[in-house]
């Protein structure tokens, strides 16, 4: 155990008169130079005006007022009214709002009221659902630690006392105690340590614990090392896995590295997949809508001599092209999907468009530990120096672990010792009752070995030392010549490259004695063998990877672990990177640093495993994949994952992630499990499939109606449809189209990423829109034949009624026949859509016959019209079916 001597010069308060608080000497900016410096324990204590006996209570209170509480800066919740206003930034919502205002300007009050009501409903749904998700996430917030053991004095001359204080009350200069299982409550420098190891995967991504010990003299070798490689520094967000220690706090609250990583404002992602797809479709529609009213006005002025009296009709045509219900459909579909995920799987979607992005994800990036593998190793093999199986190696390793645990009074074995003990017990090699423990030298991060001294049965007067630990450290203590040592190091290197963790075991017999054993006795040992351990794959990982692959989602592993360890875990799970099989070549951080962004995008597209990744490497790889056209998701749970969470289209974290990761993520899982991600992906594709179906059907129908309306407007001496009739028709369409948000799309929709591509939509709506326009124009012929004797206002009213009926009936046909689903069985399964289509058809046939018909300028139609219309609709249905099959074959 290393210690720091007491020094009045180090304490600063030792020079003050009894009972008089000493002034706090200014010291370097907390959270900048101090925690990142490479100074000895004495230098750091002096710079902090503290000492091994801790601060005086009065000084601690003064520093608490000066530096503030030791709490993380929290994201301020967005007020609900501000969320409502921000919802107006959605492109479709903005277009609708502009159309509503234009309608009001031209005195089309009915259209304006309907459109503005739809805008309000959409914004209300979106803001309410996101506000609810934020409240659910806020309920998950947990403090990094609740209390800490601190050493303080009531006065300068009083003896130091240990007591528990809230973590929020810790200040720079406080001396704290650390023990197994403790969370490191702030950035600290270690003053004393006994076998102290720290798990800092939340900060670095490394799954193995890191040894920590004091720095009592300057070490030039550490001058160029990063802060996490400094053996004397521990950081908030880490946890103690074994041993104990005393440390001085160097940074608290917002000055810690944990808090610095929390500030992700400079790394906010650009437009997500949802933003890109919606904007592409929006601008396509905006161009159409900006072009339509001028064309209508100019054509009517040139051919019919009409002036501004056709402006309401021109606005109605533009409104007819717009999918008015899109914001409501999108928000309702996503909100229902998010609510269903929260109810059935405990998954919280914090940002509604993130659910669509989940459905569009085709590359999922994640860490290995805790996702693909469990946080515990298992023994793979125990071999002698010739690489031959030898159960005795495992037995000696287990005896060393067992008696070290008991005699050193450690609270629990570390993960490697626990794996060794479990394997020996399963193999019935552990005969503890046959051996007596004499002494133990627990693991020390400087020695990197642990030794148990045993009394063997039948060996009176002899003690056996059993040493295990890091291969290099154990071999240094063995009586080996140079060639033997090099051969064993080469054997260990080969096994490490294959992804195994290694413990070397050695022993020696010494004459029994009553004196204490020291590390000096760990010399002249006989090498026994190696215990190889591997990571355990998560039980559901292999099946979940297979399911994700079938859904078209490629998994990329971004880890801070050794390349061999990462590759081995990948191979155990059958994760393949190419058609030739295997995981392909592991890409290291050094290679990533040597590549340009374009080169990295090509490498990232082919590779599966990236090892030794820092947080910056992870973010750069994710950004390269996005730049290559992929929709990316990133699963992370630590501070080291924050840059990648911000860089991905959708950031995902488990519920037990650190607070800042939960705040940065778009989706919070109930547990760190790929199965939960698959359920979230399915929910996203479900919602996105309904949105895509609505867009295809509505836009193709609207385009066909607009083409027919423009044609009729130029052919007829009267307006083909009155503004009031356009409004009622749109209301009927809108009510029926709400069923898209409640539909269950076919299984084919769930098999591939759901991406809304504007070019694909343009091809679809153009083809099927022209087909719809042909049906409308055929209806004009039917109306001309059925109404050839009608004239004047009676003819106009009948024409309006006939086209109104045909529009609603063709819309009902399109909803049924073009519903998402590759097979006829899938298309027939749409219960809500079929019911809505039937209701729309009934309204189309009966409304002109009701007293409301004449009020809207429509009159009853002759029976001949319905007979001829039936023939047109039959031909239209046959054409739709044929076009649909051709479209599916081409896809």
């Amino acid at each position: 155990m290393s210690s720091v001597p007491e020094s009045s010069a180090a304490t600063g308060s030792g020079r003050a008169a009894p009972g008089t608080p000493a002034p706090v000497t200014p010291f370097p900016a907390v959270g900048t130079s101090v925690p990142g410096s490479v100074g000895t324990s004495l230098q750091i204590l002096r710079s902090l005006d503290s000492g091994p006996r801790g601060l005086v209570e009065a000084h601690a209170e003064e520093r608490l007022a000066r530096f503030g509480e030791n709490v993380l800066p929290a994201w301020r919740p967005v007020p609900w009214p501000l969320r409502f206003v921000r919802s107006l930034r959605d492109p479709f919502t903005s277009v609708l709002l502009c159309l509503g205002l234009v309608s009001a300007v031209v005195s089309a009050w009915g259209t304006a009221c309907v459109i503005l009501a739809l805008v309000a409903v959409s914004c209300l749904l979106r803001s309410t659902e996101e506000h609810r998700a934020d409240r659910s996430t806020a309920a998950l917030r947990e403090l990094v630690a609740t209390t800490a053991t601190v050493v303080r004095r009531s006065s300068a001359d009083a003896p130091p006392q240990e007591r528990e204080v809230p973590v929020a009350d810790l200040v720079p200069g406080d001396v704290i105690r650390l023990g197994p299982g403790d969370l490191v409550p702030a950035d600290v420098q270690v003053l004393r340590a006994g076998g102290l190891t720290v798990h800092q995967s939340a900060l670095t991504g490394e799954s193995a614990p890191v040894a920590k010990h004091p720095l009592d003299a300057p070490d030039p070798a550490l001058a160029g090392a990063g802060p996490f490689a400094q053996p004397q520094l521990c950081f908030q967000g880490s946890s103690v896995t074994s041993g104990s220690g005393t440390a001085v706090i160097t940074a608290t609250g917002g000055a810690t590295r944990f808090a610095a990583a929390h500030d992700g404002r400079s790394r906010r992602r650009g437009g997500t997949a949802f933003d890109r797809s919606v904007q592409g479709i929006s601008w396509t529609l905006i161009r159409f809508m900006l072009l339509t009213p001028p064309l209508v006005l100019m054509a009517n002025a040139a051919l019919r001599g009409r002036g501004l009296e056709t402006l309401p009709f021109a606005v109605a045509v533009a409104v007819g092209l717009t999918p008015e219900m899109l914001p409501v459909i999108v928000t309702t579909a996503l909100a229902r999907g998010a609510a269903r995920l929260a109810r059935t799987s405990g998954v919280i979607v914090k940002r509604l468009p993130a659910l669509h992005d989940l459905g569009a994800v085709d590359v999922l990036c994640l860490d290995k530990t805790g996702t693909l593998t469990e946080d515990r190793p298992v023994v793979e093999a125990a071999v002698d120096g010739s690489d031959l199986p030898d159960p005795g190696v495992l037995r000696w390793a287990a005896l060393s672990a067992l008696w070290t645990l008991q005699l050193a009074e450690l609270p629990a074995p570390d993960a490697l010792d626990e794996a060794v003990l479990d394997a020996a017990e399963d193999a019935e090699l552990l005969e503890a009752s046959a051996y007596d423990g004499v002494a133990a030298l627990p693991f020390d991060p400087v020695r990197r070995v642990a030794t148990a001294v045993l009394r063997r049965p039948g060996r009176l007067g002899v003690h056996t030392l059993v040493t295990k630990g890091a291969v290099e450290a154990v071999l240094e203590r063995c009586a080996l010549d140079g060639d033997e040592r090099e051969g064993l190091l080469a054997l260990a290197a080969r096994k490490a490259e294959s992804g195994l963790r290694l413990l070397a075991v050695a022993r020696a017999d010494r004459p029994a004695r009553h004196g204490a054993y020291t590390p000096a006795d760990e010399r002249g040992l006989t090498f026994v063998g190696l215990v190889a351990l591997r990571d355990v794959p998560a039980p559901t990982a292999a099946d979940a990877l297979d399911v994700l692959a079938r859904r078209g989602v490629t998994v990329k592993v971004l880890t801070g672990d050794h390349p061999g360890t990462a590759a081995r875990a990948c191979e155990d799970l059958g994760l393949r990177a190419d058609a030739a099989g295997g995981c392909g070549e592991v890409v290291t951080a050094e290679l990533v640093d040597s590549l340009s962004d374009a080169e990295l995008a090509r490498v990232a597209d082919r590779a599966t495993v990236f090892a030794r990744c820092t947080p910056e490497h992870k973010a750069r790889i994710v950004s390269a994949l996005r730049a290559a056209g992929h929709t990316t998701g990133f699963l992370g749970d630590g501070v080291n994952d924050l840059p990648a969470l911000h860089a991905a289209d959708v950031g995902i974290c488990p519920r037990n992630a650190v607070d800042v990761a939960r705040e940065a993520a778009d989706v919070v899982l109930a547990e760190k499990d790929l199965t939960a991600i698959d359920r979230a992906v399915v929910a996203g594709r479900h919602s996105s499939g309904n949105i895509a179906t609505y867009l295809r059907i509505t836009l193709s129908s609207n385009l066909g109606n607009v083409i027919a309306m423009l044609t009729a407007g130029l052919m007829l001496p009267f307006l083909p449809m009155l503004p009031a009739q356009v409004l009622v028709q749109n209301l009927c369409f809108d009510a029926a189209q709400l069923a898209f948000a409640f539909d269950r799309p076919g299984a084919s929709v769930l098999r591939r990423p759901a991406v809304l591509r504007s070019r694909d939509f343009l091809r679809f709506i153009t083809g099927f829109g022209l087909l719809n326009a042909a049906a409308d124009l055929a209806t004009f012929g039917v109306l001309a034949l059925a109404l050839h004797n009608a004239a004047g206002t009676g003819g106009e009213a009948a024409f309006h009624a006939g086209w109104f009926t045909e529009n609603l009936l063709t819309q009902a046909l399109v909803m049924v026949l073009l519903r998402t689903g590759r097979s006829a069985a899938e298309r027939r399964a749409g219960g809500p859509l079929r019911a809505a289509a039937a209701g729309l058809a009934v309204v189309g046939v009966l409304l002109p016959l009701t007293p409301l018909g004449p009020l809207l300028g429509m009159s009853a139609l002759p029976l001949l019209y319905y007979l001829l219309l039936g023939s047109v609709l039959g031909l239209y249905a046959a054409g739709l079916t044929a076009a649909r099959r051709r479209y599916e074959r081409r896809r």
Side-chain angles (χ1 to χ4, degrees):
M1 179 175 290
S2 178
S3 62
V4 178
E6 287 286 343
S7 170
S8 60
T11 62
S13 57
R15 296 185 294 272
T20 304
V24 177
T25 304
F27 50 88
V30 179
T32 54
S33 61
V34 172
S37 63
V38 184
T40 65
S41 301
L42 189 58
Q43 290 170 340
I44 295 299
L45 284 170
R46 283 175 173 168
S47 68
L48 293 168
D49 195 29
S50 183
R53 295 192 301 158
L55 295 175
V56 176
E57 288 287 356
H59 297 166
E61 293 176 2
E62 181 181 346
R63 295 188 184 192
L64 184 62
R66 176 181 174 186
F67 295 108
E69 291 187 334
N70 179 34
V71 295
L72 289 174
W75 295 104
R76 291 184 178 180
V78 180
W80 184 87
L82 181 57
R83 285 191 182 278
F84 184 90
V85 174
R86 286 181 179 178
S87 300
L88 294 173
R89 295 185 300 184
D90 174 79
F92 279 120
T93 306
S94 301
V95 170
L96 277 182
L97 182 61
C98 292
L99 283 175
L101 296 176
V102 171
S103 300
V105 169
V106 298
S107 300
W109 300 111
T111 302
C113 290
V114 171
I115 292 177
L116 295 177
L118 291 174
V119 168
V121 169
S122 172
C123 294
L124 181 65
L125 287 173
R126 174 171 293 187
S127 56
T128 300
E129 191 63 33
E130 291 185 356
H131 185 67
R132 183 184 304 159
D134 269 5
R135 285 191 303 173
S136 299
T137 306
L140 297 176
R141 284 189 59 88
E142 301 167 353
L143 291 175
V144 174
T146 54
T147 62
T149 303
V150 66
V151 178
R152 285 183 182 171
R153 293 169 290 157
S154 58
S155 64
D157 295 335
Q161 293 182 340
E162 294 183 8
R163 64 188 185 89
E164 293 288 318
V165 301
V167 164
D169 293 343
L170 296 176
V171 297
D174 261 332
V175 175
I176 62 171
R177 308 290 193 204
L178 297 173
D182 286 348
L183 294 172
V184 179
D187 289 355
V188 303
Q189 174 146 338
V190 177
L191 303 177
R192 302 184 183 93
L196 181 64
T197 60
V198 174
H199 203 284
Q200 54 187 30
S201 63
L203 296 159
T204 65
E206 293 180 296
S207 58
V210 180
K212 298 292 181 179
H213 58 83
L215 188 68
D216 294 328
D219 187 351
L222 297 174
F228 298 110
Q230 302 288 339
Q232 78 279 17
L233 300 180
C234 299
F235 300 94
Q236 185 181 46
S238 306
S239 60
V240 178
T241 53
S242 64
S244 59
T246 301
V248 60
I249 293 178
T250 58
T252 60
T256 63
R257 290 188 176 273
F258 192 92
H262 172 240
D263 184 10
R265 289 171 293 182
S266 61
R267 297 185 297 272
R268 293 311 268 169
R269 66 172 68 87
T272 64
F274 181 81
D275 298 329
R276 295 191 297 270
S277 59
V278 166
Q279 287 174 2
I281 298 171
S282 296
W283 281 111
T284 300
L285 287 177
I286 288 171
R287 293 187 186 99
F288 272 111
M289 289 185 298
L290 291 177
L291 187 63
T292 299
L295 284 178
V296 173
L297 290 175
M298 288 188 295
N300 277 275
L303 299 179
R304 295 294 178 185
R306 300 169 184 156
L308 290 178
E309 66 271 14
T310 60
L311 182 58
F313 175 71
V315 173
V317 171
V319 171
L321 185 62
T322 308
E324 303 102 311
M325 287 294 289
L326 181 60
V328 178
I329 296 292
V330 168
T331 307
T332 304
L334 295 178
R336 289 188 72 248
R340 185 167 54 248
L341 269 178
R343 184 175 61 254
T344 61
S345 305
V347 176
I348 298 173
V349 179
K350 297 171 53 183
R351 185 177 58 86
L352 279 185
L355 188 59
H356 165 271
D357 294 338
L358 272 173
V361 162
D362 61 344
V363 174
L364 176 64
C365 301
L366 46 82
D367 197 354
K368 170 183 68 68
T369 306
T371 306
L372 300 181
T373 63
E374 296 183 347
D375 291 325
R376 64 180 183 88
V378 295
V379 173
E380 173 81 0
V383 298
D384 59 15
S386 301
D387 200 16
L388 297 175
D390 185 352
V393 176
L394 180 60
R395 180 168 60 89
W396 286 116
L399 288 170
S400 175
L402 177 65
W403 285 108
T404 302
L405 179 66
Q406 293 187 9
L407 296 176
E409 298 182 353
L410 299 177
D414 67 16
L416 297 181
D417 281 352
E418 190 172 19
V420 167
L421 291 170
D422 289 343
E425 185 176 353
D426 292 342
E428 299 182 352
L429 297 174
L430 198 58
E431 302 173 5
S433 59
Y435 298 83
D436 292 329
V438 176
L441 300 174
F443 179 85
D444 185 282
V446 177
R447 293 165 40 242
R448 298 193 297 160
V449 297
T451 297
V453 183
L454 311 177
R455 186 182 297 112
R456 299 166 63 188
R459 300 293 300 273
L460 296 176
V462 176
H463 287 169
T464 300
L465 279 72
V466 185
T467 299
K468 64 173 177 55
V471 175
E472 296 84 355
V474 171
L475 292 181
E476 287 175 1
R477 292 163 171 78
C478 292
L480 298 169
D481 60 33
D483 291 340
E484 289 176 319
R485 181 174 285 104
E486 290 300 321
L488 291 172
L489 287 173
L491 172 63
R494 289 196 300 273
K495 289 187 172 296
E497 286 297 325
S498 67
L500 297 174
R501 300 183 187 180
L502 299 174
L503 285 175
V505 184
R507 67 183 180 89
D509 290 336
R510 300 279 192 267
R513 71 177 191 228
H514 294 290
Y517 284 87
T518 68
D521 295 304
E522 299 170 335
R523 293 289 183 270
L525 306 178
T526 300
F527 181 77
V528 175
L530 298 171
V531 178
L533 302 99
R534 61 176 174 83
D535 289 329
V536 180
T540 61
D543 292 339
L545 287 173
D546 185 55
V547 171
L548 288 172
R550 291 200 302 270
R551 298 198 192 283
V553 178
T554 302
V555 173
K556 308 282 185 183
V557 179
L558 280 55
T559 179
D561 275 347
H562 185 281
T565 304
R568 177 61 181 269
C570 179
E571 291 172 357
D572 289 345
L573 292 167
L575 191 60
R576 301 180 180 274
D578 48 47
C583 286
E585 183 179 353
V586 176
V587 178
T588 61
E590 292 77 10
L591 178 59
V592 172
D593 289 334
S594 67
L595 298 175
S596 66
D597 290 343
E599 292 170 336
L600 179 59
R602 291 192 293 270
V603 170
D605 202 34
R606 297 192 304 268
T608 295
V609 183
F610 299 80
R612 298 297 192 197
C613 290
T614 65
E616 290 71 25
H617 288 126
K618 293 181 181 181
R620 189 171 172 229
I621 292 167
V622 171
S623 297
L625 289 167
R626 288 188 68 195
H630 294 287
T631 302
T632 59
F634 184 84
L635 173 63
D637 60 358
V639 179
N640 63 308
D641 295 320
L642 284 178
L645 286 170
H646 287 296
D649 284 289
V650 54
I652 312 167
C653 78
R655 183 176 300 183
N656 60 355
V658 296
D659 285 352
V660 291
R662 286 202 304 267
E663 290 174 352
D666 301 305
V667 177
V668 180
L669 306 176
E671 54 191 6
K672 196 174 183 180
D673 185 1
L674 289 180
T675 304
I677 294 183
D678 176 62
R679 291 194 293 268
V681 167
V682 169
R685 293 185 182 179
H686 188 142
S687 298
S688 298
N690 287 341
I691 295 169
T693 302
Y694 164 77
L695 278 172
R696 289 191 180 97
I697 292 176
T698 302
L699 291 178
S700 60
S701 296
N702 289 358
L703 180 62
N705 288 336
V706 166
I707 293 173
M709 196 176 296
L710 291 175
T711 304
L714 298 177
M715 293 171 54
L716 299 174
F718 52 85
L719 291 178
M721 191 170 288
L722 301 177
Q725 295 165 357
V726 174
L727 174 62
V728 172
Q729 178 179 273
N730 287 343
L731 285 175
C732 294
F733 285 167
D734 294 343
Q737 289 162 356
L738 190 59
F740 284 106
F742 300 89
D743 190 26
R744 296 186 62 85
S748 59
V749 176
L750 309 180
R751 297 192 190 114
R752 59 183 181 275
V755 181
L756 306 176
R757 294 186 176 91
S758 58
R759 187 170 299 176
D760 292 344
F761 274 101
L762 188 58
R763 283 197 296 265
F764 185 96
I765 66 176
T766 300
F768 286 92
L770 291 174
L771 187 60
N772 183 275
D776 286 345
L777 294 175
T779 303
F780 294 165
V782 168
L783 286 168
L785 182 61
L787 305 175
H788 66 280
N789 291 324
T793 54
E796 292 181 21
F799 181 92
H800 292 156
W803 198 14
F804 180 89
T805 298
E806 185 267 349
N807 273 341
L808 294 187
L809 291 177
T810 52
Q811 177 74 7
L813 270 179
V814 169
M815 290 176 64
V816 173
L817 296 180
L818 294 189
R819 175 183 175 270
T820 300
R822 299 294 292 272
S823 67
E826 288 179 346
R827 288 195 291 273
R828 285 195 298 269
L833 277 184
R834 293 170 67 85
L840 190 62
V842 170
V843 171
V845 173
L846 297 182
L847 183 61
L849 305 178
T850 66
L852 189 59
L855 294 177
L856 295 173
M858 295 185 288
S859 63
L861 292 160
L863 179 61
L864 177 62
Y865 167 74
Y866 293 104
L867 296 176
L868 295 175
L869 180 61
S871 302
V872 171
L873 294 177
L875 292 173
Y876 180 52
L880 276 179
T881 303
R884 170 79 193 207
R885 289 173 179 169
R886 183 172 180 271
Y887 174 78
E888 290 173 352
R889 284 197 301 269
R890 293 184 62 182
R891 291 186 68 188

